[in-house]
Amino acid sequence: MTAQADGPLLSVEELSVSFRTAAGETDVVRDLSFELPRGGSLGIVGESGSGKSMTSLAVMGLLPKGGTKRGTIRFDGIDLGTYSERQMRSFRGDRAAMIFQDPLSSLNPYYRVGTQIVEAYRSHRAGVSRREARRVAIEALERVHIHDAASRVDHYPHQFSGGMRQRIMIAMALAMEPELIIADEPTTALDVTVQAQILDLLAEVQSSTGASLILITHDLAVVSEVTENIIVMKEGEMVEHGTTEGIFCGPRNDYTRRLLDAVPRIDDVIGTMRTTDTIATMPGDDR
Ligand SMILES: Nc1ncnc2c1ncn2[C@@H]1O[C@H](COP(=O)(O)OP(=O)(O)OP(=O)(O)O)[C@@H](O)[C@H]1O
Ligand SMILES: [Mg+2]
C-alpha cells in the first residue's frame, strides 16, 4: 500500500481493545473510529478507565501484555497491522512520538538529559555523529524554552523541576521531527500554572512543526485551548465527537455536560500566561 499525501495522517477504523481476565474477555475500547488530518489536533477526553490510554497505546503498538486489538489503524495510508515489531519500533521513533504523564518514569535518572536525547536521536538516525546529535539536542531544548540550553544539556533529570522535565520530554520528541505527537495526560502531575505553560508549549510546537497532535486528558479544560476537535469517551466507547467549540457550546451528551460542569477556568490562566509572557525559564522559577 502506498502513502497518500492528501488523506488523513491517522485513520482509526472500528478499533476495539480487549483483555483476557479471570472473568473472560472484556473490551476496554469498543468500535472506535476517528480520523486525524495532517497538522490537525484532537483531544481525547473521558473519566478514568474510559479507554483513552489504551486507544493511544493501540495506535503506537504498545498495548500491555494480554491486550489485543481488532480493527484497522492506518498511518499515512499504511495499515499498521501489516508492520513487523521492528517496523513498529522505527515507526515510533521516526514518525510518531508519545509523551506520558510522568517524565521521571521516561527519563533515566543516571544519565544526563542531553545524553538521553542524543542516544534516542542516534538510534533512529543511522550515521549521525554524536556531535551533530548534541547540536540537535541543544536546539530542541532551546525550542522548548529551556534557558541556557548549552549548559543545561549536561544536567541530570533530578536537577530539573517537574515542568522542566516535561519540557525535556517534549524536546526529545521534537528532536525526532515526528508527524504525530501523542501526549497522554502530560500535565496531570504539574501544578496549574506550570500546566498552562506546558499546554501552551504543546500548542506552539504543534503549530510551528506542523505535526498532528493527540492530547489525552480527563479534564475538558485542558483540551479546550489546544485542540480543534474532541472525542469524549465513556466506558470504552465514543459518546461524542465534534469541534471543541461545538462541544463547549452545545454538548449533546449528559456525560459530556457533567465533564463540562467540572471545568475550572484553566483557559483564564493560559490567557494570563500569554499576555504576561512569564514562561518560567529562570532557575529561580523552576517549579
Ligand atoms: N493490563 C490490563 N489488563 C486488564 N485490564 C486493563 C489493563 N490495562 C488497562 N485495563 C483496563 O482498561 C480500561 C481502560 O484503561 P485506560 O488506561 O485506557 O483508561 P484511561 O481512560 O486512560 O484512564 P485514566 O484517565 O485513569 O488514565 C480500564 O478499565 C482498565 O482497568
Ligand atoms: Mg490513561
Side-chain angles (χ1 to χ4, degrees), residues 45-78:
V45 191
E47 65 196 1
S48 184
S50 54
K52 307 181 297 293
S53 294
M54 291 306 136
T55 299
S56 62
L57 293 173
V59 169
M60 298 295 280
L62 289 173
L63 281 180
K65 218 166 171 278
T68 52
K69 65 179 176 224
R70 300 184 303 281
T72 309
I73 299 168
R74 283 180 219 282
F75 187 90
D76 202 10
I78 299 163

Tab-separated table of all heavy atoms in Angstrom, residues 45-78:
chain	number	residue	atom	x	y	z
A	45	VAL	N	-11.017	12.844	25.624
A	45	VAL	CA	-11.397	13.175	26.992
A	45	VAL	C	-12.316	12.100	27.548
A	45	VAL	O	-13.102	11.496	26.815
A	45	VAL	CB	-12.167	14.525	27.018
A	45	VAL	CG1	-12.346	15.024	28.442
A	45	VAL	CG2	-11.437	15.575	26.213
A	46	GLY	N	-12.252	11.880	28.826
A	46	GLY	CA	-13.162	10.939	29.472
A	46	GLY	C	-12.646	10.627	30.854
A	46	GLY	O	-11.474	10.860	31.156
A	47	GLU	N	-13.542	10.083	31.679
A	47	GLU	CA	-13.138	9.813	33.055
A	47	GLU	C	-12.142	8.652	33.104
A	47	GLU	O	-11.911	7.982	32.094
A	47	GLU	CB	-14.371	9.505	33.912
A	47	GLU	CG	-15.072	8.237	33.481
A	47	GLU	CD	-16.488	8.123	34.040
A	47	GLU	OE1	-16.943	9.030	34.751
A	47	GLU	OE2	-17.127	7.107	33.730
A	48	SER	N	-11.569	8.452	34.270
A	48	SER	CA	-10.586	7.396	34.454
A	48	SER	C	-11.165	6.033	34.058
A	48	SER	O	-12.297	5.714	34.400
A	48	SER	CB	-10.145	7.393	35.921
A	48	SER	OG	-9.128	6.454	36.091
A	49	GLY	N	-10.405	5.282	33.291
A	49	GLY	CA	-10.839	3.941	32.889
A	49	GLY	C	-11.677	3.921	31.630
A	49	GLY	O	-12.158	2.853	31.212
A	50	SER	N	-11.851	5.084	30.978
A	50	SER	CA	-12.734	5.112	29.805
A	50	SER	C	-12.051	4.590	28.532
A	50	SER	O	-12.701	4.453	27.496
A	50	SER	CB	-13.271	6.539	29.586
A	50	SER	OG	-12.214	7.472	29.503
A	51	GLY	N	-10.761	4.303	28.607
A	51	GLY	CA	-10.096	3.693	27.456
A	51	GLY	C	-9.208	4.631	26.654
A	51	GLY	O	-8.743	4.287	25.564
A	52	LYS	N	-8.932	5.806	27.203
A	52	LYS	CA	-8.127	6.801	26.480
A	52	LYS	C	-6.701	6.299	26.238
A	52	LYS	O	-6.207	6.336	25.107
A	52	LYS	CB	-8.074	8.124	27.284
A	52	LYS	CG	-9.447	8.661	27.685
A	52	LYS	CD	-9.324	9.978	28.453
A	52	LYS	CE	-8.584	9.885	29.775
A	52	LYS	NZ	-9.294	9.081	30.814
A	53	SER	N	-6.066	5.842	27.312
A	53	SER	CA	-4.674	5.401	27.150
A	53	SER	C	-4.585	4.165	26.263
A	53	SER	O	-3.669	4.048	25.446
A	53	SER	CB	-4.036	5.096	28.511
A	53	SER	OG	-3.921	6.281	29.256
A	54	MET	N	-5.533	3.237	26.427
A	54	MET	CA	-5.486	2.021	25.609
A	54	MET	C	-5.647	2.355	24.123
A	54	MET	O	-5.040	1.704	23.268
A	54	MET	CB	-6.557	1.020	26.062
A	54	MET	CG	-6.273	0.427	27.429
A	54	MET	SD	-4.622	-0.315	27.534
A	54	MET	CE	-4.099	0.295	29.120
A	55	THR	N	-6.429	3.378	23.825
A	55	THR	CA	-6.581	3.814	22.434
A	55	THR	C	-5.232	4.284	21.879
A	55	THR	O	-4.806	3.866	20.798
A	55	THR	CB	-7.611	4.965	22.349
A	55	THR	OG1	-8.866	4.474	22.835
A	55	THR	CG2	-7.764	5.479	20.929
A	56	SER	N	-4.543	5.127	22.664
A	56	SER	CA	-3.272	5.661	22.147
A	56	SER	C	-2.207	4.579	22.108
A	56	SER	O	-1.404	4.532	21.170
A	56	SER	CB	-2.824	6.856	22.978
A	56	SER	OG	-2.596	6.473	24.303
A	57	LEU	N	-2.210	3.705	23.099
A	57	LEU	CA	-1.205	2.631	23.101
A	57	LEU	C	-1.437	1.669	21.938
A	57	LEU	O	-0.492	1.129	21.356
A	57	LEU	CB	-1.210	1.890	24.444
A	57	LEU	CG	-0.741	2.746	25.635
A	57	LEU	CD1	-0.945	1.999	26.958
A	57	LEU	CD2	0.725	3.159	25.495
A	58	ALA	N	-2.714	1.480	21.575
A	58	ALA	CA	-3.017	0.624	20.419
A	58	ALA	C	-2.448	1.246	19.144
A	58	ALA	O	-1.853	0.554	18.308
A	58	ALA	CB	-4.527	0.414	20.293
A	59	VAL	N	-2.593	2.579	19.022
A	59	VAL	CA	-2.052	3.263	17.837
A	59	VAL	C	-0.536	3.095	17.773
A	59	VAL	O	0.045	2.842	16.718
A	59	VAL	CB	-2.429	4.767	17.851
A	59	VAL	CG1	-1.656	5.536	16.779
A	59	VAL	CG2	-3.935	4.954	17.664
A	60	MET	N	0.122	3.210	18.919
A	60	MET	CA	1.587	3.137	18.958
A	60	MET	C	2.117	1.699	18.954
A	60	MET	O	3.327	1.493	18.949
A	60	MET	CB	2.106	3.845	20.214
A	60	MET	CG	1.777	5.320	20.295
A	60	MET	SD	2.565	6.297	18.999
A	60	MET	CE	4.222	6.490	19.641
A	61	GLY	N	1.210	0.728	19.008
A	61	GLY	CA	1.661	-0.661	19.074
A	61	GLY	C	2.295	-0.990	20.408
A	61	GLY	O	3.228	-1.780	20.489
A	62	LEU	N	1.792	-0.364	21.465
A	62	LEU	CA	2.394	-0.533	22.791
A	62	LEU	C	1.405	-1.071	23.827
A	62	LEU	O	1.542	-0.802	25.018
A	62	LEU	CB	2.936	0.820	23.285
A	62	LEU	CG	4.172	1.376	22.591
A	62	LEU	CD1	4.479	2.793	23.085
A	62	LEU	CD2	5.382	0.475	22.805
A	63	LEU	N	0.405	-1.827	23.378
A	63	LEU	CA	-0.564	-2.360	24.343
A	63	LEU	C	0.151	-3.245	25.359
A	63	LEU	O	1.069	-3.982	25.011
A	63	LEU	CB	-1.620	-3.203	23.614
A	63	LEU	CG	-2.737	-2.436	22.912
A	63	LEU	CD1	-3.684	-3.426	22.237
A	63	LEU	CD2	-3.501	-1.545	23.888
A	64	PRO	N	-0.291	-3.173	26.629
A	64	PRO	CA	0.340	-4.041	27.627
A	64	PRO	C	0.043	-5.512	27.322
A	64	PRO	O	-0.877	-5.842	26.574
A	64	PRO	CB	-0.288	-3.606	28.946
A	64	PRO	CG	-1.482	-2.796	28.604
A	64	PRO	CD	-1.300	-2.280	27.213
A	65	LYS	N	0.849	-6.355	27.941
A	65	LYS	CA	0.718	-7.793	27.749
A	65	LYS	C	-0.721	-8.239	28.026
A	65	LYS	O	-1.341	-7.756	28.964
A	65	LYS	CB	1.644	-8.494	28.758
A	65	LYS	CG	2.321	-9.707	28.221
A	65	LYS	CD	3.463	-10.120	29.152
A	65	LYS	CE	4.007	-11.441	28.734
A	65	LYS	NZ	3.402	-12.632	29.097
A	66	GLY	N	-1.242	-9.110	27.203
A	66	GLY	CA	-2.602	-9.607	27.404
A	66	GLY	C	-3.637	-8.785	26.648
A	66	GLY	O	-4.788	-9.199	26.519
A	67	GLY	N	-3.240	-7.632	26.148
A	67	GLY	CA	-4.178	-6.782	25.407
A	67	GLY	C	-4.121	-7.112	23.920
A	67	GLY	O	-3.041	-7.278	23.363
A	68	THR	N	-5.298	-7.230	23.303
A	68	THR	CA	-5.307	-7.453	21.852
A	68	THR	C	-6.211	-6.418	21.203
A	68	THR	O	-7.152	-5.920	21.824
A	68	THR	CB	-5.841	-8.855	21.484
A	68	THR	OG1	-7.097	-9.038	22.139
A	68	THR	CG2	-4.882	-9.945	21.896
A	69	LYS	N	-5.905	-6.117	19.946
A	69	LYS	CA	-6.756	-5.143	19.269
A	69	LYS	C	-7.346	-5.737	18.002
A	69	LYS	O	-6.774	-6.614	17.373
A	69	LYS	CB	-5.977	-3.870	18.978
A	69	LYS	CG	-4.845	-4.053	17.995
A	69	LYS	CD	-4.135	-2.731	17.751
A	69	LYS	CE	-2.946	-2.947	16.840
A	69	LYS	NZ	-1.746	-2.255	17.258
A	70	ARG	N	-8.525	-5.215	17.661
A	70	ARG	CA	-9.166	-5.520	16.382
A	70	ARG	C	-9.439	-4.193	15.691
A	70	ARG	O	-9.441	-3.144	16.323
A	70	ARG	CB	-10.493	-6.269	16.596
A	70	ARG	CG	-10.353	-7.594	17.315
A	70	ARG	CD	-11.704	-8.329	17.404
A	70	ARG	NE	-12.747	-7.545	18.072
A	70	ARG	CZ	-12.845	-7.412	19.384
A	70	ARG	NH1	-11.956	-7.966	20.192
A	70	ARG	NH2	-13.830	-6.700	19.907
A	71	GLY	N	-9.697	-4.252	14.403
A	71	GLY	CA	-9.932	-3.016	13.662
A	71	GLY	C	-8.688	-2.628	12.883
A	71	GLY	O	-7.712	-3.375	12.855
A	72	THR	N	-8.746	-1.471	12.242
A	72	THR	CA	-7.646	-1.058	11.368
A	72	THR	C	-7.138	0.320	11.764
A	72	THR	O	-7.932	1.241	11.985
A	72	THR	CB	-8.147	-0.988	9.900
A	72	THR	OG1	-8.802	-2.211	9.601
A	72	THR	CG2	-6.983	-0.801	8.938
A	73	ILE	N	-5.828	0.425	11.861
A	73	ILE	CA	-5.198	1.718	12.126
A	73	ILE	C	-4.297	2.027	10.942
A	73	ILE	O	-3.377	1.264	10.652
A	73	ILE	CB	-4.382	1.673	13.436
A	73	ILE	CG1	-5.309	1.355	14.618
A	73	ILE	CG2	-3.652	3.003	13.655
A	73	ILE	CD1	-4.589	1.009	15.900
A	74	ARG	N	-4.621	3.094	10.248
A	74	ARG	CA	-3.779	3.495	9.114
A	74	ARG	C	-3.047	4.774	9.450
A	74	ARG	O	-3.642	5.719	9.961
A	74	ARG	CB	-4.644	3.769	7.878
A	74	ARG	CG	-5.122	2.545	7.167
A	74	ARG	CD	-5.966	2.953	5.962
A	74	ARG	NE	-7.086	2.048	5.837
A	74	ARG	CZ	-6.968	0.825	5.324
A	74	ARG	NH1	-5.807	0.412	4.864
A	74	ARG	NH2	-8.007	0.029	5.278
A	75	PHE	N	-1.753	4.760	9.116
A	75	PHE	CA	-0.939	5.959	9.288
A	75	PHE	C	-0.412	6.318	7.915
A	75	PHE	O	0.242	5.498	7.269
A	75	PHE	CB	0.211	5.681	10.256
A	75	PHE	CG	1.007	6.910	10.616
A	75	PHE	CD1	0.650	7.690	11.708
A	75	PHE	CD2	2.102	7.293	9.858
A	75	PHE	CE1	1.370	8.826	12.037
A	75	PHE	CE2	2.829	8.430	10.185
A	75	PHE	CZ	2.458	9.199	11.275
A	76	ASP	N	-0.735	7.515	7.451
A	76	ASP	CA	-0.290	7.930	6.127
A	76	ASP	C	-0.733	6.907	5.071
A	76	ASP	O	-0.001	6.613	4.127
A	76	ASP	CB	1.248	8.050	6.149
A	76	ASP	CG	1.761	8.949	5.043
A	76	ASP	OD1	0.945	9.629	4.388
A	76	ASP	OD2	2.987	8.965	4.823
A	77	GLY	N	-1.905	6.343	5.285
A	77	GLY	CA	-2.464	5.398	4.327
A	77	GLY	C	-1.987	3.965	4.490
A	77	GLY	O	-2.490	3.057	3.830
A	78	ILE	N	-1.024	3.748	5.386
A	78	ILE	CA	-0.475	2.396	5.541
A	78	ILE	C	-1.104	1.703	6.747
A	78	ILE	O	-1.162	2.284	7.838
A	78	ILE	CB	1.058	2.450	5.697
A	78	ILE	CG1	1.684	3.081	4.449
A	78	ILE	CG2	1.632	1.064	5.957
A	78	ILE	CD1	3.094	3.545	4.634
